[in-house]
Amino acid sequence: MEHGKEQRSEELIESNLENYEHLDDVKEMLIEMFLKHEQDQIIFICIGTDQSTGDSFGPFVGKYLTESEFSFPVYGTIEHPVDALNLKQVLEMVKIKYDNPIIVAIDASVANERHIGKIFFKQGALRPGKYAMKILPLVGDYHLSAVVNVRDSIIRLKKLHETRLHFILQLSLKVASLILEANYLAKTINDK
C-alpha cells in the first residue's frame, strides 16, 4: 500500500473510532436492547478466527468481555473461537442449554474505505462468512459488526489477513467497552 493511502486509511480509522455521536447511537441501541430483554437470557456469540488478523475482531471482543466478568454468557474468544468449523455445533448447544435465548452476534465486516472503523448495531440476524463465500447459518436476534478493512472482490481474504493487529485490538476493546457500559447503564435505569 502506498504511504499516502495508508496514512489516509489510518486517519479515517481514527476519525470513525472517535466519532462519539455515532458511538453514542450504538450505545443507546445497546441500552434499549438490554432494557427490552431484561427478563430474557441474552447470549453473546463472537464469531471469527485467530488465524486471520481481520477476522479476529469477534474473538477479541469475546476475550475482553469474559475478562471483564461480563454478566452474560459469551461464546467465542481468542482462546476458544467460534468460527466456520464449529458455528453450527455452538448454535445447537446454545439452543439446548438455554430456553429461547436472545442471541447477539458479533463479527467483523468489510466495506468501502470510508467506513473502516465504523461500528454498527442492528436488530436481526447476521450471515457470517458471506464475504468469504461460505454458507453458514444466520446468527442472532441482534448483530454488532465493525468494518475492519476494505471489500475487494478480486483478492477477497487477503485484505482480512493484512489488517493491522493494533487496529483490531483497539476496535475490539472499544466495542467491548461500549457493551459493558450499555449493560451498566441499563442496570442503573432498572434499579431506579
Side-chain angles (χ1 to χ4, degrees):
M1 184 185 278
E2 296 171 21
H3 179 68
K5 282 187 175 180
E6 186 174 320
Q7 185 173 356
R8 192 172 73 240
S9 289
E10 290 293 320
E11 288 168 3
L12 280 166
I13 289 165
E14 289 300 318
S15 169
N16 288 336
L17 280 174
E18 298 306 320
N19 183 348
Y20 294 112
E21 183 178 313
H22 172 73
L23 293 179
D24 284 346
D25 291 343
V26 172
K27 184 169 52 178
E28 287 301 317
M29 289 185 281
L30 283 163
I31 291 168
E32 287 175 26
M33 188 258 321
F34 282 118
L35 291 172
K36 181 177 179 181
H37 298 290
E38 66 177 308
Q39 301 300 317
D40 299 316
Q41 179 67 66
I42 302 173
I43 311 292
F44 286 77
I45 299 181
C46 302
I47 303 164
T49 179
D50 60 347
Q51 296 180 8
S52 166
T53 310
D55 206 24
S56 65
F57 164 75
F60 272 115
V61 173
K63 171 185 170 58
Y64 292 138
L65 289 175
T66 56
E67 287 177 353
S68 299
E69 299 179 16
F70 191 45
S71 56
F72 296 95
V74 175
Y75 294 88
T77 64
I78 279 296
E79 296 81 8
H80 303 287
V82 173
D83 57 22
L85 300 175
N86 65 356
L87 178 61
K88 288 179 185 174
Q89 294 90 336
V90 169
L91 290 173
E92 288 170 12
M93 186 270 303
V94 165
K95 285 181 184 176
I96 292 168
K97 189 171 180 179
Y98 303 98
D99 183 26
N100 200 25
I102 299 299
I103 295 175
V104 179
I106 297 174
D107 198 6
S109 68
V110 291
N112 61 41
E113 187 181 41
R114 66 187 164 85
H115 291 300
I116 294 174
K118 286 209 171 194
I119 299 162
F120 299 94
F121 182 69
K122 299 178 181 176
Q123 189 163 2
L126 169 81
R127 181 173 299 281
K130 182 178 175 184
Y131 180 64
M133 297 192 294
K134 294 181 180 177
I135 299 171
L136 297 171
L138 291 169
V139 183
D141 300 285
Y142 295 88
H143 68 275
L144 189 151
S145 61
V147 180
V148 300
N149 213 325
V150 294
R151 173 177 289 151
D152 190 320
S153 58
I154 298 168
I155 52 176
R156 286 189 179 269
L157 297 180
K158 188 171 188 247
K159 286 291 184 186
L160 272 179
H161 297 319
E162 291 177 346
T163 305
R164 292 190 61 219
L165 182 59
H166 171 74
F167 168 58
I168 294 299
L169 293 173
Q170 186 181 19
L171 188 59
S172 56
L173 185 57
K174 176 73 76 175
V175 166
S177 298
L178 271 175
I179 294 169
L180 292 165
E181 185 178 357
N183 180 43
Y184 172 79
L185 292 170
K187 283 181 180 177
T188 303
I189 292 166
N190 280 333
D191 290 343
K192 288 184 179 178

